Amino acid sequence: MTDDLSPAVLDGALTPVRRRRTRVGLVSGGLGAYWPQFPGLLGQLQDSALFVTRRFEGMGCEVVDAGFISDPQEAAKAAEVLRKADCDIVVTFLTTYLTASMVLPIAQRTHTPVLVIDLQPTEAMDHPDTDTGQWLAYCGQCPLPEVANVFRRSGIPFRSVSGHLHDENAWTRIGRWISSAGVRGAMRHGRHGLMGHLYPGMLDVSTDMTLVSSQFGGHVEVLEFDDLRVRVAAVTDEQAAERVALARRVFTLDDSVKEEDLDWAARVSVGLDRLVEDFGLDSLAYYHRGLDGEIHERLGAGMILGASLLTARGIPVAGEYELRTSLAMLIADTLGAGGSFTELQALNFRDGVVEMGHDGPAHLAISSKDPLLRGLGVYHGKRGWGVSVEFDVTHGPVTTFGIGQEADGTFSFIVSEGEVVPGPLLEIGNTTSRVDFGFGPGEWTDAWSATGIGHHWALCTGHRAKDFKAAANLLGIPFRRVDGPGDL
């Protein structure tokens, strides 16, 4: 979880998870024929390459620098270095003109998405005082169409950023690709828990685990509720009391909360932490129906507190066996956008907003204020009873983000940007946010549903469509965005 998602609600007691650092491969280059012709040019370009390396390191990346190349032979050696490094993205820095034969093997042999950048020394040349050697430091964009053409003919996705070394607009665009590479890394190396069974009849939620690993990478760990049961049984009274104390600091407790229900939720929370640690999980989706108050029903009903605390730490947990949404929440959190478990609740035509949220887990780090714990004697549509979370997402720009699935099994990223606005909210132990999408709530609902989204998604802070689009690009999956009413 990034630094911009650590408000006072976390109380300093919830340690954010430490994610694997994004591994960026870097190779810089220019045409070796220039070096004997223009002494001093190579040194200047190498200084620019060092500046770029330092900028990437400043983003918190692990940078694998394959050096400065001057011909296709050196390019092949650099490609081998980067192939072995197993990077999340490879950045090729065109410091001046070079031939496409110096870039192509890097893209071919690393089997990693490549970002091509050309950043000239300053925003413009000082033309009267610029000779040929100095001009060559400004023509990194010259080979860009050549590289793009060869990538297209080779079936390699092309992406680029042009600018100058101190161009913050260019670095913002580069940063978006690096953040998306972090998503690719999180998915390739992620371990995603799936515990319990499908909510009966929710056909849209059903997800092929093989497709998750084949399209995103990573591993889906199949868990039993008994894996949780034995860990909850081992929780001591002292550990439960400590977790109750944490809950009292993080949440406002409604008078409806019963002490025995809070104690049980605390025990399940501690057991959940152990489960996540023991199986090395980066995300978790769960559901269990249960019957007549037996232990598995009680475990399923007691998940909300612990799931919300884990989600706030950057380990997203989604109910109703919603694997694709727990993955969407992980992607959103990796991008620093939070991501809270969400579905449609109602349409408010008077105020022009869509009311959305969910019963169950919430992303506490993006709450507009201290979240509330409410005691419920019944969970609508589910068995059991206990405590549930009530909050709305921080007011301001938001993005709905979900993962759809097509008839051929292909996953897709689906987004829409809006704004959470103040107004009356449900007080029934649900997360609820009022989102204004800039056009009629009925029309938005129709357009959103037509994308192929399931009935769950992540509600994220900020306008993040460009970030999710870049992540979809690196993962090689389709991207859809709802900006206005559909055609019908």
Side-chain angles (χ1 to χ4, degrees):
M1 196 163 56
T2 56
D3 291 340
D4 60 333
L5 290 180
S6 53
V9 69
L10 296 186
D11 195 47
L14 302 178
T15 304
V17 64
R18 296 189 65 176
R19 299 199 191 281
R20 170 186 173 275
R21 292 171 66 196
T22 303
R23 186 172 300 162
V24 175
L26 176 63
V27 59
S28 306
L31 189 63
Y34 295 149
W35 314 151
Q37 294 177 325
F38 304 100
L41 175 60
L42 176 59
Q44 178 184 359
L45 300 181
Q46 288 173 328
D47 286 344
S48 295
L50 180 61
F51 176 87
V52 168
T53 300
R54 296 291 180 260
R55 283 293 301 244
F56 284 132
E57 291 173 342
M59 296 178 187
C61 302
E62 176 188 348
V63 180
V64 180
D65 193 339
F68 198 99
I69 60 174
S70 302
D71 55 44
Q73 292 86 351
E74 291 180 355
K77 293 178 181 178
E80 183 64 12
V81 170
L82 296 174
R83 182 189 67 80
K84 293 179 180 178
D86 187 31
C87 299
D88 301 314
I89 192 170
V90 169
V91 180
T92 300
F93 177 22
L94 311 180
T95 64
T96 185
Y97 177 78
L98 48 65
T99 63
S101 64
M102 297 169 60
V103 180
L104 181 61
I106 294 168
Q108 288 176 319
R109 300 180 191 183
T110 58
H111 302 289
T112 302
V114 175
L115 170 65
V116 181
I117 65 173
D118 60 280
L119 302 175
Q120 62 189 40
T122 64
E123 59 185 354
M125 291 183 289
D126 182 6
H127 295 80
D129 296 323
T130 300
D131 60 22
T132 302
Q134 293 167 322
W135 156 66
L136 286 172
Y138 282 81
C139 71
Q141 74 289 140
C142 178
L144 192 66
E146 176 181 340
V147 172
N149 173 274
V150 171
F151 273 29
R152 188 181 187 92
R153 291 164 65 182
S154 303
I156 297 170
F158 175 77
R159 51 193 75 85
S160 69
V161 173
S162 300
H164 62 86
L165 289 175
H166 304 283
D167 179 359
E168 290 308 314
N169 175 59
W171 281 108
T172 296
R173 293 158 60 205
I174 292 170
R176 182 173 294 123
W177 287 115
I178 300 305
S179 295
S180 298
V183 169
R184 180 173 181 265
M187 299 303 283
R188 287 197 307 135
H189 296 274
R191 290 178 54 82
H192 314 297
L194 190 59
M195 184 171 67
H197 62 82
L198 183 71
Y199 188 109
M202 285 187 181
L203 302 182
D204 65 318
V205 168
S206 178
T207 301
D208 187 328
M209 293 182 291
T210 302
L211 294 179
V212 171
S213 295
S214 65
Q215 294 187 43
F216 291 138
H219 169 74
V220 178
E221 183 73 16
V222 177
L223 302 169
E224 302 281 357
F225 257 77
D226 288 318
D227 292 318
L228 177 61
R229 176 182 57 81
V230 296
R231 288 166 175 81
V232 172
V235 175
T236 66
D237 292 343
E238 181 181 4
Q239 291 167 334
E242 289 174 353
R243 188 56 52 97
V244 167
L246 173 61
R248 291 185 180 279
R249 294 198 301 272
V250 172
F251 294 88
T252 297
L253 267 63
D254 186 74
D255 292 340
S256 59
V257 174
K258 297 179 180 179
E259 287 297 326
E260 59 268 28
D261 291 344
L262 182 58
D263 177 79
W264 176 246
R267 291 176 183 275
V268 175
S269 177
V270 175
L272 264 178
D273 286 358
R274 289 178 175 171
L275 183 80
V276 166
E277 181 178 355
D278 290 346
F279 286 94
L281 301 181
D282 298 291
S283 69
L284 175 65
Y286 73 92
Y287 175 75
H288 186 83
R289 182 167 54 187
L291 185 66
D292 294 337
E294 52 82 36
I295 184 62
H296 299 91
E297 179 186 293
R298 294 292 292 126
L299 287 167
M303 292 279 290
I304 295 173
L305 172 63
S308 298
L309 293 174
L310 279 170
T311 301
R313 290 176 49 206
I315 304 172
V317 182
E320 297 182 6
Y321 213 60
E322 182 51 280
L323 175 58
R324 294 201 310 280
T325 300
S326 63
L327 297 178
M329 292 164 66
L330 176 61
I331 290 167
D333 199 80
T334 301
L335 289 170
S340 198
F341 191 41
T342 304
E343 66 183 0
L344 289 170
Q345 291 179 326
L347 304 182
N348 189 325
F349 293 96
R350 181 185 58 220
D351 297 340
V353 298
V354 179
E355 297 182 20
M356 60 177 65
H358 210 285
D359 61 330
H363 198 313
L364 305 179
I366 61 173
S367 176
S368 66
K369 56 186 178 182
D370 285 355
L372 181 135
L373 274 185
R374 186 181 296 278
L376 298 179
V378 62
Y379 293 143
H380 72 273
K382 304 179 184 70
R383 291 174 177 162
W385 64 92
V387 297
S388 190
V389 175
E390 193 172 291
F391 90 143
D392 67 328
V393 168
T394 299
H395 298 179
V398 291
T399 303
T400 55
F401 166 57
I403 299 176
Q405 189 166 11
E406 307 303 312
D408 64 358
T410 302
F411 293 130
S412 59
F413 280 9
I414 303 170
V415 306
S416 187
E417 294 181 341
E419 182 176 359
V420 171
V421 297
L425 300 171
L426 289 171
E427 297 181 356
I428 60 171
N430 281 210
T431 65
T432 305
S433 297
R434 295 159 46 92
V435 187
D436 182 352
F437 290 99
F439 59 104
E443 293 173 300
W444 180 86
T445 301
D446 292 336
W448 181 244
S449 301
T451 62
I453 191 73
H455 81 280
H456 298 127
W457 53 87
L459 184 58
C460 315
T461 56
H463 283 165
R464 305 282 187 162
K466 290 181 179 179
D467 299 322
F468 291 122
K469 184 177 182 179
N473 181 287
L474 291 192
L475 289 166
I477 63 174
F479 174 82
R480 296 195 181 112
R481 177 174 177 175
V482 173
D483 284 323
D487 295 332
L488 297 179

